[in-house]
Amino acid sequence: MLNIVSLIIGIVALVFATIAFLPLLGWANWLIIPLAIVGTVVGMASRSNAGRNLNLFVILIGVIRLSLGGGIL
């Protein structure tokens, strides 16, 4: 059950992360990364690794996007 919750959080964060790749929307990653961290914590409490891995992937995407934009854009 926790894995499904973690997957849902990860999918929502991934959708918002793809939107945040648009120019001038990179600031949204500051909101997406904490959401994915919550999903990772929920995923670590479950038996399966799929939700945790998805959220770690979303965190990686968000951090890379923030580094490309200089942390703001």
Side-chain angles (χ1 to χ4, degrees):
M1 183 69 182
L2 288 175
N3 190 42
I4 294 172
V5 173
S6 178
L7 281 170
I8 291 171
I9 293 171
I11 290 170
V12 169
L14 185 62
V15 168
F16 287 135
T18 55
I19 294 170
F21 259 98
L22 294 174
L24 301 176
L25 291 178
W27 56 268
N29 286 308
W30 288 106
L31 303 173
I32 294 165
I33 292 173
L35 178 66
I37 289 173
V38 169
T40 303
V41 171
V42 172
M44 288 188 333
S46 71
R47 292 180 137 185
S48 181
N49 294 333
R52 183 196 67 199
N53 292 342
L54 175 63
N55 284 298
L56 289 173
F57 178 70
V58 172
I59 291 170
L60 180 68
I61 289 174
V63 168
I64 289 172
R65 173 61 176 96
L66 280 174
S67 67
L68 289 175
I72 299 172
L73 302 173

